[in-house]
Amino acid sequence: MPTTAPRLIRSIRLLDAAEARIASEFTAPPPPQSPLATDALLALAHEYQPTAMLVTHMTPLRATDIAALPECVKLVATVSVGLDHLDLAALHARGITVSNTPDVLTDCNADLSMMLILAASRRAAEYFTLVKTGWTRPLGLGDMLGHRVTGKRLGIVGMGRIGQAVARRARGFDMEILYHNRSRLPPEHEAGATYYAQLEDMLPQCDILTLHAPAQSSGAPLMDERTLSLLPRGAVLVNAARGKLVDESALMNALRSGHLAGAGLDVYQTEPNPNPELVAMPNVFTTPHTGSATVETRTAMCMLALDNVAALAAGRPLPSRVTP
Protein backbone atom coordinates (compact mmCIF):
# COMPACT_ATOMS: atom_id res chain seq x y z
CA MET A 1 0.00 0.00 0.00
CA PRO A 2 1.52 3.36 -1.03
CA THR A 3 2.30 5.65 1.89
CA THR A 4 0.35 8.43 0.11
CA ALA A 5 -2.93 6.53 0.34
CA PRO A 6 -5.45 8.71 2.23
CA ARG A 7 -5.68 7.86 5.93
CA LEU A 8 -9.16 7.34 7.29
CA ILE A 9 -11.03 5.84 10.21
CA ARG A 10 -14.68 4.80 10.36
CA SER A 11 -17.10 4.54 13.25
CA ILE A 12 -18.78 1.43 11.86
CA ARG A 13 -18.00 -1.44 9.54
CA LEU A 14 -19.10 -0.54 6.02
CA LEU A 15 -20.64 -2.90 3.48
CA ASP A 16 -18.34 -5.49 1.96
CA ALA A 17 -17.79 -3.69 -1.35
CA ALA A 18 -16.79 -0.51 0.49
CA GLU A 19 -14.51 -2.40 2.87
CA ALA A 20 -12.79 -3.99 -0.14
CA ARG A 21 -12.29 -0.52 -1.61
CA ILE A 22 -10.80 0.75 1.66
CA ALA A 23 -8.32 -2.12 1.66
CA SER A 24 -7.36 -1.30 -1.93
CA GLU A 25 -7.29 2.51 -2.00
CA PHE A 26 -6.92 3.84 1.55
CA THR A 27 -4.85 3.45 4.69
CA ALA A 28 -7.10 2.47 7.56
CA PRO A 29 -7.21 0.36 10.71
CA PRO A 30 -9.38 -2.78 10.72
CA PRO A 31 -13.12 -2.06 10.80
CA PRO A 32 -14.67 -1.97 14.27
CA GLN A 33 -16.53 -5.09 15.36
CA SER A 34 -19.42 -2.94 16.61
CA PRO A 35 -20.29 0.75 16.14
CA LEU A 36 -17.91 3.03 18.02
CA ALA A 37 -19.14 5.45 20.63
CA THR A 38 -17.97 9.02 20.21
CA ASP A 39 -15.26 8.80 22.87
CA ALA A 40 -13.86 5.63 21.28
CA LEU A 41 -13.81 7.31 17.86
CA LEU A 42 -11.96 10.31 19.30
CA ALA A 43 -9.39 8.02 20.91
CA LEU A 44 -8.89 6.22 17.59
CA ALA A 45 -8.48 9.56 15.80
CA HIS A 46 -5.65 10.56 18.16
CA GLU A 47 -4.03 7.15 17.85
CA TYR A 48 -4.29 6.80 14.06
CA GLN A 49 -4.02 10.45 12.95
CA PRO A 50 -6.41 10.22 9.97
CA THR A 51 -7.18 12.84 7.37
CA ALA A 52 -10.82 11.76 7.19
CA MET A 53 -13.41 10.24 9.52
CA LEU A 54 -16.46 8.32 8.30
CA VAL A 55 -19.38 8.41 10.74
CA THR A 56 -23.09 7.66 10.96
CA HIS A 57 -25.90 8.99 13.16
CA MET A 58 -24.88 6.45 15.82
CA THR A 59 -21.71 8.44 16.56
CA PRO A 60 -22.67 12.08 17.12
CA LEU A 61 -20.06 14.82 17.12
CA ARG A 62 -20.97 17.81 19.26
CA ALA A 63 -18.98 20.97 19.85
CA THR A 64 -16.93 19.56 22.72
CA ASP A 65 -16.11 16.44 20.68
CA ILE A 66 -15.05 18.51 17.69
CA ALA A 67 -12.81 20.66 19.87
CA ALA A 68 -11.06 17.44 20.93
CA LEU A 69 -10.30 16.24 17.39
CA PRO A 70 -6.63 16.14 16.35
CA GLU A 71 -5.44 18.75 13.85
CA CYS A 72 -4.91 16.09 11.17
CA VAL A 73 -8.66 15.63 10.60
CA LYS A 74 -9.71 17.60 7.53
CA LEU A 75 -12.97 15.84 6.59
CA VAL A 76 -15.92 14.32 8.41
CA ALA A 77 -17.87 12.24 5.89
CA THR A 78 -21.22 11.10 7.23
CA VAL A 79 -22.80 8.04 5.63
CA SER A 80 -26.24 9.64 5.74
CA VAL A 81 -28.22 12.50 4.30
CA GLY A 82 -29.25 13.79 7.72
CA LEU A 83 -26.84 15.98 9.65
CA ASP A 84 -28.60 16.19 13.01
CA HIS A 85 -25.80 14.26 14.69
CA LEU A 86 -23.13 16.78 13.65
CA ASP A 87 -22.46 20.28 14.95
CA LEU A 88 -21.86 21.83 11.53
CA ALA A 89 -20.99 25.27 12.89
CA ALA A 90 -18.29 23.82 15.14
CA LEU A 91 -16.85 21.68 12.35
CA HIS A 92 -16.71 24.55 9.87
CA ALA A 93 -15.28 26.88 12.53
CA ARG A 94 -12.36 24.46 12.86
CA GLY A 95 -11.92 24.39 9.09
CA ILE A 96 -13.09 20.77 8.83
CA THR A 97 -14.93 19.91 5.63
CA VAL A 98 -18.20 17.97 5.89
CA SER A 99 -19.83 15.70 3.33
CA ASN A 100 -23.00 13.63 3.31
CA THR A 101 -24.70 11.15 0.96
CA PRO A 102 -27.74 12.72 -0.73
CA ASP A 103 -29.52 11.50 -3.88
CA VAL A 104 -28.39 7.87 -3.71
CA LEU A 105 -31.05 6.99 -1.12
CA THR A 106 -33.94 8.95 -2.62
CA ASP A 107 -35.63 6.05 -4.37
CA CYS A 108 -35.42 3.59 -1.48
CA ASN A 109 -36.78 6.13 0.98
CA ALA A 110 -39.63 6.90 -1.38
CA ASP A 111 -40.32 3.17 -1.83
CA LEU A 112 -40.51 2.71 1.94
CA SER A 113 -42.81 5.71 2.28
CA MET A 114 -45.21 4.18 -0.22
CA MET A 115 -45.07 0.92 1.72
CA LEU A 116 -46.03 2.81 4.89
CA ILE A 117 -48.85 4.60 3.08
CA LEU A 118 -50.28 1.33 1.77
CA ALA A 119 -49.73 -0.62 4.99
CA ALA A 120 -51.26 2.00 7.27
CA SER A 121 -54.23 2.57 4.98
CA ARG A 122 -54.94 -1.15 4.45
CA ARG A 123 -54.43 -2.17 8.13
CA ALA A 124 -51.45 -4.39 7.31
CA ALA A 125 -50.26 -4.57 10.93
CA GLU A 126 -53.62 -5.91 12.07
CA TYR A 127 -53.86 -8.42 9.21
CA PHE A 128 -50.34 -9.67 9.88
CA THR A 129 -51.05 -10.09 13.58
CA LEU A 130 -54.33 -11.90 12.93
CA VAL A 131 -52.77 -14.47 10.62
CA LYS A 132 -49.67 -14.99 12.75
CA THR A 133 -51.55 -15.39 16.03
CA GLY A 134 -54.37 -17.56 14.71
CA TRP A 135 -56.91 -16.77 12.01
CA THR A 136 -59.77 -19.06 13.00
CA ARG A 137 -62.83 -17.83 11.12
CA PRO A 138 -63.58 -16.15 7.79
CA LEU A 139 -63.88 -12.38 7.93
CA GLY A 140 -67.35 -10.98 7.45
CA LEU A 141 -68.23 -8.49 4.76
CA GLY A 142 -67.73 -5.55 7.11
CA ASP A 143 -64.85 -6.89 9.20
CA MET A 144 -61.43 -5.19 9.42
CA LEU A 145 -61.99 -2.88 6.48
CA GLY A 146 -59.14 -0.62 5.49
CA HIS A 147 -59.16 2.39 3.20
CA ARG A 148 -58.42 2.49 -0.50
CA VAL A 149 -55.32 4.43 -1.49
CA THR A 150 -56.18 4.84 -5.17
CA GLY A 151 -57.64 8.26 -5.92
CA LYS A 152 -57.02 9.71 -2.46
CA ARG A 153 -55.61 13.15 -1.71
CA LEU A 154 -51.99 12.84 -0.58
CA GLY A 155 -50.46 15.75 1.30
CA ILE A 156 -46.66 15.94 1.22
CA VAL A 157 -44.78 18.10 3.71
CA GLY A 158 -41.34 18.78 2.26
CA MET A 159 -41.15 18.56 -1.52
CA GLY A 160 -37.44 17.95 -1.90
CA ARG A 161 -35.88 14.97 -3.66
CA ILE A 162 -37.69 12.34 -1.57
CA GLY A 163 -41.01 14.20 -1.50
CA GLN A 164 -40.98 14.49 -5.29
CA ALA A 165 -40.08 10.81 -5.64
CA VAL A 166 -43.04 9.88 -3.41
CA ALA A 167 -45.29 12.07 -5.57
CA ARG A 168 -44.15 10.24 -8.71
CA ARG A 169 -45.03 6.89 -7.13
CA ALA A 170 -48.35 8.15 -5.78
CA ARG A 171 -49.42 9.26 -9.25
CA GLY A 172 -49.29 5.58 -10.20
CA PHE A 173 -52.19 5.17 -7.76
CA ASP A 174 -54.06 8.10 -9.35
CA MET A 175 -53.61 10.09 -6.15
CA GLU A 176 -54.16 13.83 -6.09
CA ILE A 177 -50.92 15.47 -4.90
CA LEU A 178 -50.94 18.40 -2.51
CA TYR A 179 -47.78 19.80 -0.98
CA HIS A 180 -46.40 22.28 1.52
CA ASN A 181 -42.83 23.47 1.12
CA ARG A 182 -40.71 26.45 2.11
CA SER A 183 -41.06 27.68 -1.47
CA ARG A 184 -43.10 26.72 -4.49
CA LEU A 185 -41.51 24.41 -7.04
CA PRO A 186 -41.16 25.31 -10.72
CA PRO A 187 -44.11 24.00 -12.77
CA GLU A 188 -42.03 21.22 -14.35
CA HIS A 189 -41.23 19.85 -10.88
CA GLU A 190 -44.75 20.36 -9.54
CA ALA A 191 -46.14 18.13 -12.30
CA GLY A 192 -49.68 19.20 -11.50
CA ALA A 193 -49.38 19.12 -7.70
CA THR A 194 -51.20 21.81 -5.73
CA TYR A 195 -49.02 24.08 -3.59
CA TYR A 196 -50.06 25.37 -0.16
CA ALA A 197 -47.93 28.12 1.33
CA GLN A 198 -49.52 27.51 4.74
CA LEU A 199 -49.52 24.02 6.23
CA GLU A 200 -52.76 24.75 8.10
CA ASP A 201 -54.54 25.37 4.80
CA MET A 202 -53.44 22.03 3.34
CA LEU A 203 -54.11 19.71 6.28
CA PRO A 204 -57.95 19.72 6.06
CA GLN A 205 -57.66 18.59 2.42
CA CYS A 206 -55.48 15.51 3.09
CA ASP A 207 -56.76 11.95 3.21
CA ILE A 208 -53.14 10.86 3.79
CA LEU A 209 -50.29 13.04 5.04
CA THR A 210 -46.64 12.06 4.59
CA LEU A 211 -43.72 13.95 6.14
CA HIS A 212 -40.43 14.52 4.30
CA ALA A 213 -39.10 17.64 5.99
CA PRO A 214 -36.13 18.23 8.30
CA ALA A 215 -36.76 18.71 12.01
CA GLN A 216 -37.78 22.23 12.94
CA SER A 217 -34.94 24.43 14.18
CA SER A 218 -36.89 25.11 17.38
CA GLY A 219 -37.10 21.39 18.09
CA ALA A 220 -40.88 21.66 18.42
CA PRO A 221 -42.99 19.02 16.66
CA LEU A 222 -44.64 20.03 13.41
CA MET A 223 -47.58 17.69 13.98
CA ASP A 224 -48.99 18.32 17.45
CA GLU A 225 -52.48 18.25 18.93
CA ARG A 226 -53.52 21.37 17.00
CA THR A 227 -52.18 20.42 13.57
CA LEU A 228 -53.29 16.78 13.86
CA SER A 229 -56.81 18.03 14.64
CA LEU A 230 -56.85 19.88 11.30
CA LEU A 231 -56.64 16.60 9.37
CA PRO A 232 -60.00 15.11 8.32
CA ARG A 233 -61.41 12.40 10.55
CA GLY A 234 -60.16 9.03 9.28
CA ALA A 235 -56.94 10.40 7.78
CA VAL A 236 -53.64 8.50 7.82
CA LEU A 237 -50.29 9.94 8.94
CA VAL A 238 -46.94 8.67 7.62
CA ASN A 239 -43.55 9.74 8.94
CA ALA A 240 -40.34 8.48 7.35
CA ALA A 241 -38.41 11.72 7.94
CA ARG A 242 -37.63 12.70 11.53
CA GLY A 243 -39.14 11.47 14.78
CA LYS A 244 -39.07 14.99 16.22
CA LEU A 245 -41.66 16.10 13.66
CA VAL A 246 -44.49 14.35 15.52
CA ASP A 247 -45.76 14.77 19.07
CA GLU A 248 -46.26 11.07 19.84
CA SER A 249 -48.61 11.67 22.77
CA ALA A 250 -50.88 13.73 20.55
CA LEU A 251 -50.60 11.09 17.83
CA MET A 252 -51.66 8.31 20.20
CA ASN A 253 -54.65 10.35 21.34
CA ALA A 254 -55.70 10.95 17.73
CA LEU A 255 -55.37 7.24 16.94
CA ARG A 256 -57.32 6.15 20.05
CA SER A 257 -60.15 8.57 19.37
CA GLY A 258 -60.47 7.46 15.77
CA HIS A 259 -59.65 10.93 14.48
CA LEU A 260 -56.80 9.21 12.64
CA ALA A 261 -57.48 5.82 11.10
CA GLY A 262 -53.85 4.78 11.21
CA ALA A 263 -50.20 5.73 11.08
CA GLY A 264 -47.13 4.40 9.30
CA LEU A 265 -43.88 5.19 11.12
CA ASP A 266 -40.24 4.57 10.32
CA VAL A 267 -38.86 7.16 12.77
CA TYR A 268 -39.56 7.96 16.42
CA GLN A 269 -38.85 10.52 19.10
CA THR A 270 -36.62 8.04 20.94
CA GLU A 271 -34.51 5.62 18.94
CA PRO A 272 -33.67 2.76 19.11
CA ASN A 273 -36.21 2.45 21.94
CA PRO A 274 -39.50 3.93 20.73
CA ASN A 275 -42.45 4.37 23.04
CA PRO A 276 -43.77 0.80 23.57
CA GLU A 277 -47.31 2.08 23.97
CA LEU A 278 -47.16 3.70 20.54
CA VAL A 279 -45.69 0.76 18.64
CA ALA A 280 -48.14 -1.66 20.30
CA MET A 281 -51.18 0.19 18.95
CA PRO A 282 -52.97 -2.05 16.45
CA ASN A 283 -53.48 0.71 13.89
CA VAL A 284 -49.79 1.69 13.75
CA PHE A 285 -47.56 0.03 11.15
CA THR A 286 -43.92 0.33 12.19
CA THR A 287 -40.47 -0.16 10.70
CA PRO A 288 -37.12 0.44 12.51
CA HIS A 289 -35.69 3.51 10.69
CA THR A 290 -34.92 1.53 7.55
CA GLY A 291 -35.65 3.96 4.73
CA SER A 292 -32.29 3.37 3.05
CA ALA A 293 -31.90 -0.25 4.14
CA THR A 294 -31.26 -2.02 0.85
CA VAL A 295 -28.00 -3.56 -0.33
CA GLU A 296 -27.92 -1.26 -3.34
CA THR A 297 -28.56 1.97 -1.47
CA ARG A 298 -26.36 1.35 1.57
CA THR A 299 -23.49 0.30 -0.73
CA ALA A 300 -23.95 3.47 -2.79
CA MET A 301 -23.95 5.57 0.40
CA CYS A 302 -20.68 4.01 1.56
CA MET A 303 -19.10 4.50 -1.84
CA LEU A 304 -20.15 8.15 -2.04
CA ALA A 305 -18.60 8.79 1.38
CA LEU A 306 -15.35 7.25 0.11
CA ASP A 307 -15.59 9.28 -3.10
CA ASN A 308 -15.53 12.40 -0.93
CA VAL A 309 -12.43 11.21 0.94
CA ALA A 310 -10.66 10.43 -2.36
CA ALA A 311 -11.61 13.82 -3.81
CA LEU A 312 -10.29 15.67 -0.77
CA ALA A 313 -6.99 13.78 -0.92
CA ALA A 314 -6.63 14.53 -4.64
CA GLY A 315 -7.51 18.21 -4.26
CA ARG A 316 -10.69 17.83 -6.34
CA PRO A 317 -14.13 19.30 -5.58
CA LEU A 318 -16.07 16.99 -3.29
CA PRO A 319 -19.09 15.36 -4.96
CA SER A 320 -21.39 16.00 -1.98
CA ARG A 321 -19.83 18.66 0.21
CA VAL A 322 -22.04 20.27 2.85
CA THR A 323 -21.56 24.02 2.55
CA PRO A 324 -21.54 26.27 5.63
Side-chain angles (χ1 to χ4, degrees), residues 38-64:
T38 300
D39 57 352
L41 183 69
L42 292 176
L44 182 60
H46 280 276
E47 175 188 352
Y48 203 76
Q49 294 289 298
T51 300
M53 296 169 47
L54 272 65
V55 302
T56 71
H57 69 281
M58 290 185 282
T59 307
L61 292 174
R62 304 307 178 199
T64 53

Side-chain angles (χ1 to χ4, degrees), residues 111 138 163 184 198 224 234 237 253 255 258 279 281 288 309:
D111 289 349
R184 186 168 185 172
Q198 300 300 319
D224 55 17
L237 174 71
N253 288 337
L255 289 164
V279 299
M281 297 187 76
V309 178

Side-chain angles (χ1 to χ4, degrees), residues 50-139:
T51 300
M53 296 169 47
L54 272 65
V55 302
T56 71
H57 69 281
M58 290 185 282
T59 307
L61 292 174
R62 304 307 178 199
T64 53
D65 307 316
I66 292 160
L69 288 173
E71 291 294 329
C72 59
V73 175
K74 304 302 180 186
L75 170 66
V76 170
T78 182
V79 189
S80 67
V81 173
L83 300 162
D84 298 350
H85 54 295
L86 301 178
D87 187 325
L88 294 179
L91 284 164
H92 288 137
R94 278 207 56 180
I96 297 173
T97 301
V98 181
S99 68
N100 65 344
T101 58
D103 298 329
V104 294
L105 47 64
T106 296
D107 284 329
C108 279
N109 273 273
D111 289 349
L112 183 95
S113 298
M114 283 306 303
M115 181 180 81
L116 294 174
I117 289 169
L118 289 163
S121 299
R122 292 298 303 272
R123 300 176 68 165
E126 293 169 86
Y127 296 162
F128 179 87
T129 300
L130 175 63
V131 175
K132 287 288 187 181
T133 57
W135 178 30
T136 58
R137 64 173 182 84
L139 296 178

